[in-house]
Amino acid sequence: MSTQTAVLLVLGAALITAAIKAAGPVALGGRELPARFNGFIALLAPALFTALLVTQVLADGDELAVGADTAGLAVAGLALWRGVPMVGGVLIAAGTTALLRALF
């Protein structure tokens, strides 16, 4: 792929992204969303985050795999469930993963 083609591809993707992002405000015209949609939209971010997290933690190329990063996530999940702050959960996940990778 030439440099010119790559630049045109990136610019095209940027324009399409801007058009998609502008479609919502243009379509709504300043009106409020119904309450039913607000609840749905509030759940989109956690659902997307979970999907990204699961695919990164459980995927190893072409197949499902359980490894150190899966164990780190599980330990952090338990810690967060028990009330540990988010930063602590991230540190626990990183520490558990690093420790298991160093041992195995």
Side-chain angles (χ1 to χ4, degrees):
M1 176 184 315
S2 70
T3 304
Q4 183 181 7
T5 305
V7 169
L8 289 174
L9 185 64
V10 169
L11 289 175
L15 289 173
I16 291 171
T17 301
I20 290 172
K21 289 183 179 250
V26 168
L28 286 176
R31 295 176 294 190
E32 288 290 323
L33 285 174
R36 188 170 131 193
F37 287 114
N38 285 333
F40 174 75
I41 290 173
L43 294 175
L44 284 177
L48 179 61
F49 180 68
T50 302
L52 292 170
L53 193 68
V54 166
T55 56
Q56 289 297 309
V57 170
L58 295 178
D60 186 23
D62 295 329
E63 59 189 33
L64 291 176
V66 176
D69 48 354
T70 309
L73 177 66
V75 171
L78 287 172
L80 292 170
W81 177 58
R82 299 299 296 163
V84 173
M86 182 63 72
V87 173
V90 171
L91 292 174
I92 288 170
T96 303
T97 302
L99 179 66
L100 290 174
R101 285 184 179 168
L103 292 176
F104 300 105

XYZ file of all heavy atoms in Angstrom:
719
model
N 0.850 -1.162 0.000
C 0.000 0.000 0.000
C 0.903 1.233 0.000
O 1.827 1.340 0.780
C -0.906 -0.015 1.229
C -1.760 1.215 1.348
S -2.795 1.377 2.825
C -3.528 -0.200 3.037
N 0.599 2.153 -0.864
C 1.409 3.367 -0.953
C 1.047 4.336 0.173
O 0.007 4.218 0.813
C 1.191 4.041 -2.304
O -0.106 4.590 -2.373
N 1.918 5.286 0.385
C 1.682 6.292 1.421
C 0.444 7.117 1.114
O -0.352 7.417 2.008
C 2.914 7.211 1.544
O 4.060 6.400 1.799
C 2.739 8.210 2.659
N 0.267 7.460 -0.158
C -0.891 8.250 -0.553
C -2.189 7.489 -0.283
O -3.162 8.060 0.212
C -0.802 8.622 -2.024
C -1.941 9.509 -2.490
C -1.830 9.849 -3.965
O -0.978 9.312 -4.661
N -2.680 10.745 -4.426
N -2.208 6.208 -0.566
C -3.398 5.394 -0.315
C -3.690 5.318 1.176
O -4.840 5.414 1.597
C -3.199 3.976 -0.880
O -2.866 4.070 -2.256
C -4.440 3.131 -0.710
N -2.656 5.166 1.991
C -2.839 5.100 3.440
C -3.390 6.409 3.981
O -4.300 6.416 4.833
C -1.520 4.756 4.122
N -2.869 7.528 3.507
C -3.352 8.839 3.964
C -4.805 9.033 3.566
O -5.633 9.494 4.366
C -2.457 9.969 3.411
C -3.087 11.326 3.647
C -1.081 9.902 4.032
N -5.149 8.673 2.338
C -6.540 8.793 1.897
C -7.462 7.884 2.696
O -8.590 8.272 3.023
C -6.650 8.486 0.401
C -6.070 9.543 -0.534
C -6.100 9.055 -1.979
C -6.817 10.858 -0.393
N -7.003 6.707 3.048
C -7.796 5.788 3.855
C -8.048 6.354 5.243
O -9.172 6.310 5.751
C -7.078 4.440 3.945
C -7.818 3.317 4.648
C -9.084 2.960 3.888
C -6.919 2.106 4.762
N -7.023 6.909 5.866
C -7.175 7.502 7.195
C -8.103 8.712 7.141
O -8.982 8.879 7.999
C -5.797 7.885 7.784
C -5.939 8.727 9.024
C -4.989 6.636 8.073
N -7.933 9.568 6.143
C -8.818 10.736 6.016
C -10.266 10.323 5.764
O -11.200 10.901 6.333
C -8.321 11.650 4.895
C -7.032 12.410 5.182
C -6.593 13.186 3.941
C -7.197 13.336 6.369
N -10.457 9.307 4.927
C -11.810 8.813 4.684
C -12.448 8.254 5.944
O -13.621 8.505 6.233
N -11.671 7.485 6.713
C -12.182 6.943 7.970
C -12.521 8.059 8.948
O -13.531 7.998 9.661
C -11.162 5.990 8.582
N -11.695 9.117 8.980
C -11.972 10.253 9.868
C -13.258 10.966 9.465
O -14.067 11.336 10.329
C -10.799 11.226 9.856
N -13.471 11.151 8.185
C -14.692 11.807 7.718
C -15.933 10.975 8.024
O -16.964 11.514 8.461
C -14.604 12.098 6.222
C -13.640 13.209 5.818
C -13.519 13.273 4.297
C -14.115 14.540 6.373
N -15.851 9.687 7.798
C -16.987 8.815 8.097
C -17.278 8.798 9.595
O -18.434 8.853 10.020
C -16.723 7.394 7.558
C -16.745 7.422 6.028
C -17.747 6.407 8.091
C -16.282 6.137 5.384
N -16.243 8.762 10.421
C -16.426 8.786 11.865
C -17.088 10.084 12.306
O -18.009 10.083 13.138
C -15.074 8.617 12.579
O -14.501 7.381 12.179
C -15.231 8.646 14.082
N -16.638 11.213 11.753
C -17.245 12.500 12.105
C -18.713 12.540 11.680
O -19.565 13.057 12.421
C -16.470 13.635 11.439
N -19.032 11.982 10.522
C -20.419 11.967 10.066
C -21.293 11.108 10.981
O -22.428 11.487 11.317
C -20.492 11.455 8.631
N -20.776 9.972 11.408
C -21.544 9.106 12.301
C -21.764 9.788 13.645
O -22.857 9.745 14.213
C -20.820 7.748 12.475
C -20.900 6.953 11.170
C -21.410 6.952 13.624
C -20.050 5.695 11.168
N -20.728 10.438 14.176
C -20.863 11.125 15.467
C -21.807 12.316 15.377
O -22.479 12.655 16.346
C -19.497 11.562 15.984
C -18.662 10.400 16.441
C -17.351 10.890 17.015
C -16.544 9.728 17.490
N -16.436 9.645 18.916
N -21.866 12.960 14.233
C -22.748 14.114 14.066
C -24.192 13.697 13.837
O -25.113 14.499 14.040
C -22.268 14.970 12.899
N -24.421 12.462 13.425
C -25.778 12.018 13.099
C -26.707 12.077 14.310
O -27.882 12.453 14.175
C -25.741 10.606 12.530
N -26.222 11.735 15.487
C -27.067 11.753 16.687
C -27.584 13.137 17.032
O -28.800 13.351 17.122
N -26.701 14.112 17.227
C -27.179 15.457 17.540
C -28.043 16.067 16.434
O -29.004 16.771 16.713
C -25.890 16.259 17.733
C -24.867 15.259 18.114
C -25.249 14.003 17.404
N -27.713 15.780 15.193
C -28.513 16.321 14.094
C -29.904 15.702 14.108
O -30.907 16.380 13.940
C -27.806 16.082 12.739
C -28.734 16.372 11.577
C -26.552 16.944 12.640
N -29.991 14.403 14.337
C -31.281 13.715 14.324
C -32.145 14.117 15.512
O -33.366 14.255 15.381
C -31.073 12.206 14.319
N -31.528 14.317 16.679
C -32.315 14.659 17.869
C -32.696 16.128 17.895
O -33.726 16.490 18.460
C -31.545 14.298 19.139
C -31.466 12.819 19.456
C -30.607 12.594 20.676
C -32.844 12.231 19.664
N -31.886 16.980 17.370
C -32.199 18.405 17.332
C -32.379 19.042 18.694
O -33.215 19.914 18.867
N -31.636 18.618 19.705
C -31.712 19.229 21.028
C -32.782 18.639 21.923
O -32.948 19.077 23.049
N -33.533 17.658 21.435
C -34.575 17.030 22.267
C -33.940 16.044 23.239
O -32.882 15.486 22.989
C -35.580 16.290 21.390
C -36.363 17.220 20.488
C -37.246 16.417 19.595
N -36.351 15.653 18.694
C -36.731 14.978 17.651
N -38.005 14.915 17.349
N -35.879 14.339 16.891
N -34.615 15.815 24.334
C -34.168 14.835 25.325
C -34.565 13.433 24.868
O -35.606 13.239 24.250
C -34.814 15.116 26.689
C -34.268 16.341 27.374
C -32.852 16.148 27.863
O -32.511 15.040 28.323
O -32.077 17.111 27.760
N -33.723 12.470 25.201
C -34.059 11.083 24.915
C -35.108 10.591 25.911
O -35.141 11.043 27.056
C -32.821 10.200 25.042
C -31.791 10.262 23.935
C -30.574 9.426 24.316
C -32.376 9.764 22.639
N -35.944 9.655 25.488
C -36.877 9.058 26.457
C -36.115 8.340 27.568
O -34.975 7.883 27.372
C -37.669 8.054 25.613
C -37.507 8.503 24.206
C -36.174 9.180 24.144
N -36.713 8.214 28.716
C -36.056 7.603 29.879
C -35.630 6.170 29.599
O -34.596 5.710 30.091
C -36.990 7.644 31.083
N -36.394 5.479 28.791
C -36.067 4.091 28.455
C -34.717 4.003 27.732
O -33.922 3.102 27.981
C -37.170 3.521 27.583
C -37.064 2.077 27.328
C -38.329 1.588 26.677
N -37.973 0.792 25.519
C -38.794 0.413 24.594
N -40.047 0.788 24.655
N -38.400 -0.328 23.607
N -34.440 4.950 26.863
C -33.177 4.953 26.124
C -32.010 5.366 27.009
O -30.893 4.891 26.811
C -33.264 5.875 24.915
C -34.111 5.327 23.812
C -35.291 5.955 23.456
C -33.752 4.183 23.134
C -36.076 5.449 22.450
C -34.521 3.665 22.123
C -35.700 4.301 21.774
N -32.251 6.249 27.969
C -31.168 6.659 28.871
C -30.642 5.474 29.663
O -29.435 5.339 29.880
C -31.634 7.765 29.803
C -31.727 9.092 29.097
O -31.025 9.336 28.128
N -32.601 9.955 29.578
N -31.533 4.604 30.120
C -31.117 3.410 30.834
C -30.308 2.475 29.946
O -29.316 1.889 30.372
N -30.725 2.355 28.706
C -30.017 1.505 27.745
C -28.622 2.061 27.459
O -27.633 1.320 27.449
C -30.832 1.404 26.454
C -30.148 0.675 25.357
C -30.040 -0.698 25.379
C -29.601 1.362 24.283
C -29.399 -1.386 24.361
C -28.965 0.700 23.259
C -28.864 -0.682 23.303
N -28.530 3.345 27.248
C -27.249 3.980 26.940
C -26.292 3.891 28.128
O -25.090 3.707 27.959
C -27.462 5.435 26.486
C -28.124 5.429 25.104
C -26.165 6.209 26.457
C -28.547 6.774 24.617
N -26.838 3.970 29.336
C -25.995 3.869 30.524
C -25.340 2.498 30.628
O -24.261 2.365 31.216
C -26.822 4.150 31.768
N -25.966 1.471 30.046
C -25.407 0.121 30.120
C -24.464 -0.213 28.965
O -23.809 -1.249 28.983
C -26.548 -0.902 30.152
C -27.423 -0.843 31.390
C -28.582 -1.821 31.258
C -26.627 -1.115 32.641
N -24.380 0.647 27.964
C -23.526 0.357 26.816
C -22.038 0.356 27.168
O -21.295 -0.524 26.725
C -23.784 1.366 25.696
C -25.056 1.154 24.897
C -25.222 2.265 23.874
C -25.053 -0.186 24.209
N -21.584 1.325 27.937
C -20.157 1.411 28.273
C -19.681 0.197 29.072
O -18.659 -0.409 28.717
C -19.851 2.703 29.011
N -20.386 -0.217 30.136
C -19.921 -1.422 30.842
C -19.969 -2.674 29.976
O -19.087 -3.526 30.067
C -20.890 -1.556 32.024
C -21.484 -0.219 32.198
C -21.477 0.427 30.858
N -20.961 -2.779 29.111
C -21.049 -3.955 28.244
C -19.895 -3.980 27.243
O -19.284 -5.031 27.014
C -22.385 -3.953 27.516
N -19.577 -2.849 26.668
C -18.461 -2.779 25.723
C -17.138 -3.055 26.428
O -16.293 -3.797 25.921
C -18.426 -1.407 25.053
C -17.301 -1.177 24.056
C -17.392 -2.176 22.904
C -17.345 0.236 23.529
N -16.963 -2.486 27.602
C -15.737 -2.715 28.368
C -15.581 -4.197 28.705
O -14.500 -4.768 28.583
C -15.744 -1.866 29.648
C -14.513 -2.046 30.481
C -13.283 -1.600 30.033
C -14.577 -2.662 31.717
C -12.145 -1.774 30.791
C -13.446 -2.838 32.482
C -12.226 -2.388 32.021
N -16.665 -4.830 29.109
C -16.622 -6.255 29.439
C -16.269 -7.091 28.220
O -15.461 -8.022 28.306
C -17.973 -6.698 30.019
O -18.252 -5.910 31.177
C -17.953 -8.160 30.395
N -16.860 -6.764 27.085
C -16.564 -7.509 25.856
C -15.089 -7.375 25.475
O -14.439 -8.357 25.108
C -17.455 -7.023 24.724
N -14.551 -6.170 25.567
C -13.138 -5.965 25.255
C -12.235 -6.706 26.239
O -11.235 -7.311 25.859
C -12.803 -4.475 25.254
C -13.426 -3.656 24.129
C -13.210 -2.173 24.380
C -12.851 -4.063 22.788
N -12.597 -6.665 27.501
C -11.810 -7.318 28.537
C -11.804 -8.836 28.346
O -10.748 -9.471 28.403
C -12.385 -6.951 29.906
C -11.561 -7.275 31.116
C -10.326 -6.392 31.128
C -12.373 -7.039 32.362
N -12.956 -9.417 28.094
C -13.046 -10.867 27.943
C -12.266 -11.338 26.723
O -11.562 -12.349 26.778
C -14.524 -11.307 27.875
C -14.661 -12.735 27.392
C -15.178 -11.141 29.235
N -12.374 -10.610 25.621
C -11.639 -11.039 24.434
C -10.130 -10.925 24.628
O -9.373 -11.732 24.097
C -12.054 -10.241 23.185
O -11.870 -8.856 23.433
C -13.489 -10.514 22.820
N -9.677 -9.956 25.388
C -8.245 -9.820 25.635
C -7.732 -10.851 26.637
O -6.607 -11.321 26.528
C -7.920 -8.418 26.157
C -8.048 -7.345 25.114
C -7.054 -7.554 23.994
O -5.871 -7.723 24.206
N -7.559 -7.548 22.774
N -8.558 -11.196 27.610
C -8.110 -12.089 28.672
C -8.245 -13.554 28.278
O -7.411 -14.377 28.641
C -8.895 -11.800 29.970
C -8.635 -12.844 31.025
C -8.507 -10.434 30.501
N -9.267 -13.898 27.527
C -9.519 -15.301 27.222
C -9.079 -15.727 25.828
O -9.146 -16.906 25.506
C -11.003 -15.624 27.404
C -11.522 -15.516 28.833
C -13.001 -15.799 28.877
C -10.780 -16.465 29.754
N -8.668 -14.810 24.992
C -8.280 -15.174 23.630
C -6.763 -15.250 23.521
O -6.052 -14.375 23.998
C -8.817 -14.157 22.639
N -6.314 -16.317 22.880
C -4.885 -16.493 22.649
C -4.698 -16.869 21.186
O -4.569 -18.033 20.843
C -4.325 -17.569 23.568
C -2.821 -17.691 23.457
O -2.182 -16.716 23.047
O -2.297 -18.774 23.772
N -4.741 -15.878 20.328
C -4.651 -16.152 18.896
C -5.981 -16.625 18.347
O -6.940 -15.885 18.309
N -6.039 -17.897 17.990
C -7.235 -18.446 17.362
C -8.133 -19.219 18.315
O -9.204 -19.666 17.923
C -6.832 -19.367 16.206
C -6.145 -18.609 15.099
O -6.465 -17.422 14.905
O -5.287 -19.211 14.423
N -7.714 -19.427 19.529
C -8.498 -20.263 20.430
C -8.611 -19.633 21.812
O -7.871 -18.714 22.154
C -7.873 -21.654 20.536
C -6.448 -21.601 21.035
C -5.751 -22.957 20.935
O -6.046 -23.712 20.005
O -4.918 -23.228 21.803
N -9.542 -20.157 22.601
C -9.685 -19.703 23.975
C -8.549 -20.269 24.812
O -8.143 -21.417 24.628
C -11.020 -20.152 24.552
C -12.258 -19.494 23.974
C -13.505 -20.112 24.582
C -12.245 -18.006 24.213
N -8.045 -19.472 25.727
C -6.951 -19.912 26.580
C -7.077 -19.264 27.949
O -7.532 -18.134 28.078
C -5.610 -19.535 25.957
N -6.686 -19.997 28.964
C -6.672 -19.487 30.331
C -5.210 -19.440 30.752
O -4.489 -20.421 30.639
C -7.489 -20.397 31.270
C -7.385 -19.919 32.701
C -8.935 -20.439 30.825
N -4.794 -18.274 31.227
C -3.402 -18.116 31.609
C -3.257 -17.168 32.781
O -4.185 -16.958 33.566
N -2.091 -16.582 32.875
C -1.782 -15.686 33.983
C -2.680 -14.460 33.975
O -3.113 -13.997 35.040
C -0.312 -15.274 33.924
N -2.960 -13.923 32.801
C -3.814 -12.735 32.744
C -5.247 -13.055 33.164
O -5.919 -12.227 33.775
C -3.778 -12.100 31.355
C -3.982 -13.098 30.233
O -4.042 -14.308 30.517
O -4.055 -12.659 29.072
N -5.712 -14.262 32.890
C -7.042 -14.669 33.331
C -7.085 -14.767 34.855
O -8.044 -14.325 35.490
C -7.422 -16.026 32.710
O -7.210 -15.967 31.305
C -8.860 -16.364 32.990
N -6.044 -15.340 35.432
C -5.978 -15.441 36.889
C -5.887 -14.059 37.529
O -6.526 -13.792 38.551
C -4.787 -16.292 37.296
N -5.116 -13.157 36.923
C -5.014 -11.795 37.443
C -6.355 -11.091 37.428
O -6.726 -10.399 38.385
N -7.105 -11.271 36.362
C -8.438 -10.668 36.282
C -9.370 -11.257 37.327
O -10.139 -10.536 37.955
C -9.020 -10.856 34.881
C -10.432 -10.325 34.691
C -10.445 -8.809 34.815
C -10.993 -10.755 33.369
N -9.300 -12.576 37.524
C -10.168 -13.223 38.509
C -9.870 -12.724 39.926
O -10.791 -12.416 40.689
C -10.004 -14.738 38.428
N -8.593 -12.625 40.258
C -8.217 -12.149 41.591
C -8.640 -10.689 41.773
O -9.178 -10.305 42.827
C -6.697 -12.319 41.823
C -6.249 -11.645 43.104
C -6.342 -13.789 41.846
N -8.433 -9.878 40.755
C -8.848 -8.470 40.843
C -10.367 -8.355 40.945
O -10.879 -7.509 41.681
C -8.342 -7.705 39.630
N -11.085 -9.198 40.207
C -12.540 -9.185 40.296
C -13.021 -9.503 41.701
O -13.940 -8.857 42.214
N -12.409 -10.489 42.321
C -12.769 -10.814 43.702
C -12.449 -9.654 44.643
O -13.230 -9.339 45.548
C -12.030 -12.077 44.152
C -12.522 -13.386 43.562
C -11.589 -14.529 43.940
C -13.939 -13.679 44.025
N -11.303 -9.037 44.438
C -10.916 -7.909 45.300
C -11.885 -6.743 45.128
O -12.303 -6.125 46.115
C -9.490 -7.475 44.976
N -12.258 -6.445 43.881
C -13.211 -5.352 43.647
C -14.573 -5.685 44.239
O -15.263 -4.817 44.764
C -13.323 -5.057 42.152
C -12.077 -4.458 41.508
C -12.219 -4.439 39.996
C -11.835 -3.058 42.035
N -14.969 -6.932 44.150
C -16.248 -7.359 44.711
C -16.249 -7.188 46.227
O -17.273 -6.869 46.824
C -16.485 -8.816 44.326
C -17.726 -9.407 44.889
C -19.004 -8.978 44.732
C -17.805 -10.569 45.721
N -19.869 -9.800 45.398
C -19.152 -10.794 46.017
C -16.860 -11.455 46.224
C -19.583 -11.856 46.806
C -17.291 -12.513 46.998
C -18.635 -12.696 47.275
N -15.074 -7.367 46.856
C -14.969 -7.225 48.304
C -14.784 -5.771 48.744
O -14.639 -5.507 49.927
C -13.809 -8.072 48.834
C -13.961 -9.553 48.582
C -15.171 -10.153 49.219
N -15.057 -10.053 50.647
C -16.073 -10.185 51.483
N -17.262 -10.412 51.044
N -15.883 -10.080 52.772
N -14.758 -4.831 47.798
C -14.730 -3.425 48.160
C -13.407 -2.709 47.984
O -13.265 -1.564 48.412
N -12.441 -3.352 47.355
C -11.157 -2.697 47.099
C -11.386 -1.600 46.050
O -12.133 -1.793 45.099
C -10.120 -3.730 46.593
C -8.838 -3.060 46.158
C -9.849 -4.763 47.666
N -10.761 -0.432 46.194
C -10.915 0.624 45.179
C -10.390 0.181 43.813
O -9.587 -0.746 43.706
C -10.069 1.777 45.731
C -9.892 1.487 47.173
C -9.965 0.003 47.330
N -10.837 0.856 42.771
C -10.511 0.484 41.395
C -8.999 0.464 41.146
O -8.480 -0.463 40.522
C -11.179 1.450 40.414
C -10.936 1.102 38.962
S -11.617 -0.473 38.454
C -13.339 -0.104 38.447
N -8.286 1.465 41.642
C -6.833 1.507 41.445
C -6.177 0.297 42.110
O -5.271 -0.325 41.547
C -6.238 2.830 41.990
C -4.732 2.814 41.951
C -6.782 4.006 41.206
N -6.663 -0.069 43.276
C -6.153 -1.255 43.949
C -6.420 -2.516 43.149
O -5.572 -3.403 43.067
N -7.591 -2.603 42.537
C -7.927 -3.749 41.703
C -7.004 -3.870 40.504
O -6.569 -4.972 40.147
N -6.705 -2.744 39.881
C -5.793 -2.756 38.732
C -4.393 -3.196 39.177
O -3.740 -4.002 38.506
C -5.750 -1.370 38.057
C -4.652 -1.298 37.023
C -7.100 -1.050 37.432
N -3.942 -2.690 40.310
C -2.621 -3.073 40.819
C -2.584 -4.550 41.196
O -1.585 -5.238 40.946
C -2.242 -2.201 42.015
C -1.984 -0.731 41.704
C -1.756 0.059 42.986
C -0.808 -0.582 40.761
N -3.660 -5.052 41.772
C -3.731 -6.474 42.129
C -3.694 -7.327 40.862
O -2.989 -8.347 40.802
C -4.994 -6.755 42.960
C -4.826 -6.160 44.361
C -5.293 -8.241 43.041
C -6.093 -6.172 45.190
N -4.445 -6.935 39.840
C -4.451 -7.686 38.583
C -3.063 -7.701 37.956
O -2.575 -8.749 37.516
C -5.469 -7.094 37.610
N -2.418 -6.544 37.900
C -1.083 -6.455 37.309
C -0.067 -7.262 38.103
O 0.771 -7.982 37.545
C -0.652 -4.999 37.207
N -0.134 -7.156 39.420
C 0.800 -7.890 40.267
C 0.621 -9.399 40.177
O 1.596 -10.146 40.069
N -0.630 -9.833 40.210
C -0.906 -11.277 40.099
C -0.442 -11.815 38.746
O 0.206 -12.865 38.671
C -2.411 -11.544 40.280
O -2.822 -11.028 41.545
C -2.726 -13.019 40.212
N -0.746 -11.083 37.681
C -0.337 -11.520 36.353
C 1.187 -11.574 36.239
O 1.739 -12.546 35.719
C -0.918 -10.576 35.278
O -2.340 -10.572 35.408
C -0.536 -11.014 33.885
N 1.860 -10.544 36.715
C 3.330 -10.514 36.644
C 3.949 -11.632 37.461
O 4.904 -12.291 37.006
C 3.845 -9.161 37.122
N 3.418 -11.878 38.638
C 3.948 -12.935 39.492
C 3.781 -14.309 38.846
O 4.722 -15.112 38.805
C 3.256 -12.901 40.859
C 3.693 -13.972 41.854
C 5.142 -13.736 42.252
C 2.786 -13.953 43.072
N 2.600 -14.563 38.309
C 2.370 -15.860 37.670
C 3.205 -16.042 36.410
O 3.682 -17.147 36.128
C 0.888 -16.042 37.364
C -0.011 -16.248 38.583
C -1.471 -16.260 38.187
C 0.358 -17.524 39.304
N 3.395 -14.978 35.649
C 4.240 -15.091 34.455
C 5.702 -15.315 34.837
O 6.423 -15.997 34.112
C 4.106 -13.840 33.590
C 2.803 -13.814 32.833
C 2.714 -12.637 31.919
N 1.446 -12.659 31.184
C 0.974 -11.659 30.491
N 1.661 -10.519 30.397
N -0.172 -11.761 29.870
N 6.138 -14.733 35.946
C 7.510 -14.928 36.376
C 7.720 -16.356 36.902
O 8.801 -16.933 36.726
C 7.860 -13.924 37.476
N 6.694 -16.926 37.528
C 6.833 -18.267 38.099
C 6.696 -19.365 37.050
O 7.309 -20.416 37.164
C 5.786 -18.471 39.193
C 5.960 -17.644 40.454
C 4.813 -17.856 41.418
C 7.276 -17.982 41.127
N 5.853 -19.130 36.046
C 5.579 -20.203 35.071
C 6.066 -19.818 33.727
O 5.795 -19.237 32.907
C 4.094 -20.554 35.056
C 3.602 -21.040 36.385
C 2.846 -20.244 37.196
C 3.945 -22.311 36.830
C 2.384 -20.678 38.423
C 3.501 -22.757 38.043
C 2.717 -21.940 38.857
